[in-house]
Amino acid sequence: MNEIHQILKLQDEFFKSNKSKNLDFRISQLKKLKTLLKTNEKSLFKAIFMDFRKSEFETYETELAVLYGEINTAIKKIKTWSKPKKVKTNLANFPGRSYIFLEPYGNTLVIGAWNYPFLLSLSPLVSAIAAGNTVILKPSEISINSSHVMANLLNETFAAEYIHVFEGGVEISTALLDERWNYIFFTGSPQVGKIVYQAAAKNITPVTLELGGKSPAIVFEDANLKMAAKRICWGKFLNAGQTCIAPDYLLVSTKIKDNFLELLISEIKNNYGENPSKSDAFTSIINNKNFERLRLLLNSGNIFYGGNIDKDDSFIAPTIICPTTFDDEIMQQEIFGPLLPIIEFESEEDFIPILKDREKPLALYVFTNLKTKYQKIIDELSFGGGVINDTVVHFANPMLPFGGVGNSGIGSYHGVDGFKTFSHKKSILKKGRWFDPFVKYPPYSDFKKKLLSWILE
Ligand code: NAD
């Protein structure tokens, strides 16, 4: 723990030297990070395979490609993003010119989750570097091989006074949270998010909390059902459902439910074959604790399709749970696994009031061709972000801020929003010297008050 304190002290001194703020330095560090990842891709693929038995293709598609995109965007845009922004000056401040400067917070802490270990730890790191901060990163101890490879590569490549990785679980996390930070960026569960928020409050440290929740996908009767089944199946069973923005459950119109279930099953078979335990494209469950939690949830529901498990292989098959109601056990917690409950509805009035009473989810997906239908969902329900007629893919557009709302999180990142998240907006008004309105100065008088109200109102 002494080591944490010492390295943070070094980072504090380094930040105060202004070196991390230099734009050319930031760009060179982002390039260095990209080269490091590119030249060590094999080790990255191997670590993820050891943690999840995941294919190289999926690791590239869902982690590295998105990460490279974030780095490239930051390198290209950093000079534009960091330019002071000139804004209008109101009459009361005449004569003057107003600017917003984005300054780095300073010493930042990034705590990552296990399910996409590289992306969820390194993408905030990219934003923090781009904004000119120093970083201490703590990846999740659960995806242990990925944590090791990140610690080895980053600690060998970057000076500890600038970027350093501490590995470990609750104990290390708690020790890190005991320190005083200028910013904390946390990805994980709402339960731990509350602990992080409390720790940050001690020093009035600003936070981003990227949390989870139960994200619904809604399928209306007019949707292109085959496409909906294909896209839901992909988003749900990617990483064996261990995705914070995976559709957690489906709300399906009664009118098309039977047909839609058949289409879903056919998509599962297309993607993972008759026996998904033999599929290279299907990931394992991360550890025994999650396996057991999912096994209990599986047994509590009506298995409509799938349901096979193999503890030795940490395998749980893509499984459809139907019929399901909002009162069922599986609807009381985030599933974070390959179990897909299906709830039927006659009209949107069957679920909109219920969703309004539940915690706000991180994502929501709606499948329909009718603008009136998806517009009503957007207008009436609160959720982090979502997609019309697809799942998950909004995460991969760096132009869209990504984050939750309410129980699913505070703040957002990606692209310029990541840069802004790690920057304080410093407002500067530069006053002209050639004129100084006498009205604001004492002694006060009725005449001055009238004049002031004439100017200000
Ligand atoms: P978690 O909250 O258990 O752990 C996240 C991090 O917090 C880990 O680094 C862990 O070591 C640390 N931690 C755990 N207990 C702690 C404690 N008591 N005090 C301090 N630190 C502690 O979450 P997880 O299991 O790694 O990830 C799953 C959750 O994260 C799900 O809810 C999922 O939806 C959410 N998630 C959200 C996003 C997002 O971008 N919004 C992305 C991935 C996962």
Side-chain angles (χ1 to χ4, degrees), residues 297-305 319-325 328:
L297 278 185
L298 181 78
N299 291 339
S300 75
N302 302 304
I303 299 175
F304 182 82
Y305 179 80
T319 298
I320 297 173
I321 310 277
C322 183
T324 304
T325 71
D328 292 352

Side-chain angles (χ1 to χ4, degrees), residues 252-295:
V252 180
S253 163
T254 304
K255 298 187 187 83
I256 46 97
K257 189 204 75 182
D258 291 340
N259 184 9
F260 191 68
L261 282 169
E262 276 176 32
L263 290 168
L264 268 181
I265 292 169
S266 129
E267 283 306 326
I268 293 174
K269 289 181 182 166
N270 280 347
N271 290 355
Y272 308 110
E274 293 285 345
N275 184 356
S277 70
K278 300 272 180 276
S279 166
D280 291 343
F282 195 68
T283 310
S284 59
I285 303 303
I286 185 74
N287 60 12
N288 274 342
K289 190 173 162 211
N290 275 293
F291 184 90
E292 271 312 303
R293 183 183 60 79
L294 289 165
R295 191 181 63 79

Side-chain angles (χ1 to χ4, degrees), residues 306-332:
N308 308 343
I309 61 173
D310 180 346
K311 189 166 183 175
D312 294 337
D313 239 3
S314 282
F315 166 80
I316 297 183
T319 298
I320 297 173
I321 310 277
C322 183
T324 304
T325 71
F326 278 107
D327 296 328
D328 292 352
E329 180 66 27
I330 200 162
M331 290 303 294
Q332 311 315 317

